[in-house]
Amino acid sequence: MLCVSSALPKTTLTVKPNPAYTGEKVTLTCSVGSDSSWNFQWYKDRNDNVVSKSVRHTITGDTLTISRAAESDQGPYWCEGNRVSRPTSSQPSDPVTLTVKALPTASVKIVTPQGLLYPGETVTLQCDISDYTDWTYRWFIDNQLLPSQTRKTITISLPDKAGQYKCVGRRRGRPQKSYHSFSLPIIVTALPKTTLTVKPNPAYTGEKVTLTCSTRSGSNWNYQWYKDWNYKVVTQSVRHTIRGETLTISRAAESDQGRYWCEGNRVSRPTSSQPSDPVTLTVIALPKTTLTVKPNPAYTGEKVTLTCSTRSGSNWNYQWYKDWNYKVVTQSVRHTIRGETLTISRAAESDQGRYWCEGNRVSRPTSSQPSDPVTLTVIALPTASVKIVTPQGLLYPGDRVTLQCDISDYTGWTYRWFRYNEELPIQTRKTITISLPDQAGQYQCVGRRRGRPQKSDHSFFLPIIITALPKTTLTVKPNPVFPGETVTLMCSVGSDSIWNYQWYKDRNDNVVSQSVRHTITGDTLTISRAAESDQGLYWCEGNRVSRPTSSQPSNAVSLKVKGELLCVFCHKDGHYLY
């Protein structure tokens, strides 16, 4: 009898998903052909390491299910079939290595602010997940889900929402979630305490009171000041100055009495402090000061005397103010303070304004009530101006010019004239006359009178500028000329045709006039039969009725007469020609 042995049937293993993420369900399926009567044995890593049922491992038929994959589940798996009928076993499957990847890690951090956290602050938290995208987020405070918070960042307000915060990510693709983050504690630090001091207290009316606010924690604090109620904030005013940690009441009044407290705030954190304990300020009335101002109104340049007096007691010194409480009038070139008097030696428009004074001394009460303000008015001096009366238009050499000094107001003026800042002592009238070109220059005037105002402002300078006379041009044709020829000398001043002309030869006093051979017509001098005596230097000059009445003389032109006149007689048609 012949016996033939057949190979055992082959087993196939599939693993899904592979790789798997921590916490995912993994299904391992074992099959032997199409026969379903097999039972299966599962192995991991070694032949003697049989996979058995556990809390996370379920074996049902041909399937091994790992309900929540862990890194310890990684490794090679294989399976083998067995049954009652022959063949009673199959070949083992080829091993399949299961890879289990860790889920992405989540972490919570504070985005803003950095450092300690204080009441009243808004804190931004951020959930960072180490890998992948398209996350939605779940947030927890003290292990309680915050259902409305699904974004990467959340904002919470302190102190109400302090606690332990953590987050986890969810997504549609694999992996579908991240690990839960560790809890981040949000701890609130108490605000620093503020202390208020008030000196002096009680204070007298008019005294300076200094309220100082201090916060022992850190620096760069600004302070908010309150009086009587939480919503009544003390702000800058004429008498209240806030600088740094100090509120200064420059002249305390009864209205300043009350309960004060302060609170620190700043740009850096913590941005505010706890409010100070309240301190009550008491203000007692002071003696009254009286101010007189003479003269008032004053004119620019006059001396003004301001006198301050306090009827109560003696040994007072006085402080002077103008326009604002913090604008103290001090000694200067024009301002002199002696005892109870402020003297303004030469009043200017800048001295206008509200003045008041206040007494102070060593003993208390150390100061008086301020005087009622007195407004000093400084009136500008009348204005002076210089104008040209005659002639009008451009000015030329030889002109006589009349200047006039006009003063805007009042009568009874005498006048002072200046040329180039030097006074013209003999000129005291409203108008003066000057000759050009010698007296050209910059002219200015000022008025004087006996009553107030006693003078005017100086006028602006008026420049007396001389315009050059128009230029004359001379042409001589022909030149040189032969004896007996006709010579034409033509004189012109620009394109203007209303000029008359004077002709000169060789010397300024040698005027060429009409003669048998010399004809002057308009702008032309004609020499009809030139002779040697006509040789020489010729020039001309224009003159007219309207201004300018004369021109500059032309450049001299030398006329030359040379040779002798040759006569050649020719006979033609019964006539002699030469």
Side-chain angles (χ1 to χ4, degrees):
M1 182 175 70
L2 179 62
C3 295
V4 178
S5 62
S6 298
L8 293 173
K10 182 66 176 176
T11 306
T12 303
L13 172 62
T14 59
V15 180
K16 292 182 179 179
N18 191 15
Y21 289 95
T22 304
E24 284 188 319
K25 182 175 78 172
V26 181
T27 302
L28 296 86
T29 304
C30 201
S31 64
V32 181
S34 60
D35 199 334
S36 60
S37 61
W38 294 89
N39 296 314
F40 295 95
Q41 191 83 357
W42 297 89
Y43 300 89
K44 179 178 182 289
D45 296 332
R46 303 185 310 275
N47 287 333
D48 57 354
N49 187 16
V50 178
V51 180
S52 56
K53 287 188 175 185
S54 69
V55 175
R56 295 189 301 106
H57 299 80
T58 304
I59 299 173
T60 305
D62 59 357
T63 303
L64 165 61
T65 302
I66 304 173
S67 60
R68 294 184 305 279
E71 288 188 26
S72 60
D73 293 317
Q74 288 192 128
Y77 288 79
W78 65 94
C79 60
E80 185 178 285
N82 56 77
R83 65 182 177 179
V84 176
S85 60
R86 299 178 64 247
T88 58
S89 64
S90 69
Q91 295 183 51
S93 69
D94 293 329
V96 177
T97 298
L98 170 62
T99 302
V100 180
K101 294 183 177 180
L103 291 174
T105 57
S107 62
V108 178
K109 70 178 181 181
I110 297 173
V111 179
T112 57
Q114 299 298 312
L116 296 176
L117 304 177
Y118 298 94
E121 291 188 320
T122 299
V123 180
T124 300
L125 303 178
Q126 181 171 301
C127 183
D128 291 328
I129 299 178
S130 59
D131 207 350
Y132 303 97
T133 58
D134 303 325
W135 295 101
T136 58
Y137 300 86
R138 300 178 71 192
W139 286 88
F140 302 84
I141 176 175
D142 298 328
N143 288 322
Q144 297 293 316
L145 177 66
L146 300 172
S148 63
Q149 304 288 7
T150 59
R151 295 186 177 182
K152 183 179 180 73
T153 60
I154 64 171
T155 301
I156 62 172
S157 299
L158 300 183
D160 296 342
K161 294 186 180 179
Q164 300 276 343
Y165 282 81
K166 65 180 178 180
C167 69
V168 65
R170 298 286 186 184
R171 61 192 297 270
R172 292 184 178 180
R174 297 180 59 243
Q176 293 182 323
K177 66 177 181 178
S178 71
Y179 281 125
H180 280 71
S181 70
F182 291 108
S183 291
L184 176 68
I186 302 300
I187 301 170
V188 180
T189 302
L191 293 172
K193 181 67 177 175
T194 306
T195 302
L196 172 62
T197 58
V198 179
K199 293 182 179 179
N201 192 16
Y204 289 95
T205 304
E207 279 190 318
K208 182 175 77 172
V209 181
T210 302
L211 296 86
T212 304
C213 199
S214 63
T215 304
R216 295 178 182 177
S217 173
S219 58
N220 299 322
W221 288 95
N222 297 313
Y223 294 92
Q224 192 85 347
W225 297 87
Y226 300 89
K227 181 176 183 288
D228 298 329
W229 301 287
N230 285 335
Y231 55 83
K232 186 175 182 181
V233 178
V234 181
T235 57
Q236 296 268 12
S237 69
V238 174
R239 296 186 303 103
H240 299 82
T241 304
I242 298 172
R243 289 181 182 169
E245 62 183 7
T246 303
L247 164 61
T248 303
I249 304 174
S250 60
R251 295 183 303 283
E254 288 187 23
S255 60
D256 295 313
Q257 290 191 126
R259 295 169 70 249
Y260 289 81
W261 65 95
C262 60
E263 182 178 288
N265 56 76
R266 62 181 181 181
V267 175
S268 60
R269 301 175 55 252
T271 56
S272 63
S273 70
Q274 296 182 52
S276 69
D277 294 328
V279 176
T280 297
L281 171 62
T282 303
V283 180
I284 302 170
L286 286 174
K288 182 70 177 176
T289 305
T290 303
L291 172 63
T292 58
V293 179
K294 293 182 179 180
N296 191 18
Y299 289 95
T300 306
E302 285 188 319
K303 182 175 79 171
V304 180
T305 302
L306 296 86
T307 304
C308 197
S309 62
T310 303
R311 295 178 182 176
S312 174
S314 59
N315 299 322
W316 289 96
N317 296 314
Y318 294 93
Q319 192 85 347
W320 296 89
Y321 299 88
K322 179 178 183 289
D323 296 329
W324 302 286
N325 281 338
Y326 53 84
K327 187 175 182 181
V328 178
V329 181
T330 57
Q331 297 269 13
S332 69
V333 175
R334 296 188 302 105
H335 299 81
T336 305
I337 298 173
R338 288 182 182 171
E340 61 183 10
T341 303
L342 164 62
T343 303
I344 304 172
S345 60
R346 295 182 303 281
E349 287 189 27
S350 60
D351 294 314
Q352 287 195 126
R354 296 169 70 249
Y355 288 81
W356 63 94
C357 59
E358 181 180 289
N360 55 77
R361 60 183 179 180
V362 175
S363 59
R364 298 182 74 232
T366 56
S367 63
S368 69
Q369 293 185 53
S371 68
D372 293 328
V374 176
T375 299
L376 170 62
T377 303
V378 180
I379 302 173
L381 292 174
T383 56
S385 62
V386 178
K387 69 178 182 182
I388 297 173
V389 180
T390 59
Q392 298 299 311
L394 297 176
L395 303 177
Y396 299 96
D399 282 344
R400 286 179 62 78
V401 180
T402 299
L403 304 178
Q404 181 172 300
C405 183
D406 291 327
I407 298 178
S408 58
D409 208 350
Y410 304 97
T411 58
W413 294 105
T414 59
Y415 300 86
R416 298 173 67 191
W417 287 88
F418 301 85
R419 176 173 177 258
Y420 292 129
N421 284 324
E422 290 189 5
E423 186 172 5
L424 304 174
I426 62 171
Q427 303 288 8
T428 59
R429 294 187 177 181
K430 185 179 180 72
T431 60
I432 63 172
T433 301
I434 60 172
S435 299
L436 302 182
D438 296 342
Q439 293 179 326
Q442 301 272 351
Y443 282 82
Q444 181 186 46
C445 71
V446 67
R448 298 286 186 184
R449 62 194 293 271
R450 291 185 178 182
R452 296 180 63 235
Q454 293 182 325
K455 65 177 181 178
S456 73
D457 272 333
H458 282 70
S459 71
F460 290 109
F461 282 102
L462 176 69
I464 302 300
I465 301 171
I466 301 174
T467 302
L469 293 172
K471 183 68 178 176
T472 307
T473 303
L474 172 62
T475 58
V476 179
K477 291 182 181 179
N479 189 18
V481 62
F482 290 99
E485 285 188 312
T486 297
V487 182
T488 302
L489 295 86
M490 183 173 291
C491 198
S492 64
V493 180
S495 59
D496 201 334
S497 60
I498 60 173
W499 292 90
N500 297 315
Y501 295 94
Q502 192 86 351
W503 296 89
Y504 300 89
K505 179 176 181 287
D506 295 330
R507 301 187 312 275
N508 285 335
D509 58 354
N510 187 15
V511 178
V512 179
S513 56
Q514 296 269 12
S515 68
V516 174
R517 293 188 304 105
H518 299 82
T519 304
I520 298 172
T521 304
D523 59 0
T524 305
L525 165 62
T526 304
I527 304 174
S528 59
R529 292 184 300 283
E532 284 190 24
S533 62
D534 294 315
Q535 286 193 131
L537 288 171
Y538 287 81
W539 65 93
C540 59
E541 183 177 287
N543 54 77
R544 62 180 180 180
V545 175
S546 61
R547 299 179 61 251
T549 57
S550 63
S551 70
Q552 296 182 52
S554 69
N555 294 328
V557 177
S558 177
L559 173 62
K560 296 182 179 180
V561 181
K562 61 181 182 178
E564 296 179 357
L565 181 63
L566 298 178
C567 294
V568 178
F569 292 92
C570 302
H571 186 269
K572 182 180 180 181
D573 299 329
H575 299 280
Y576 287 98
L577 304 174
Y578 66 90

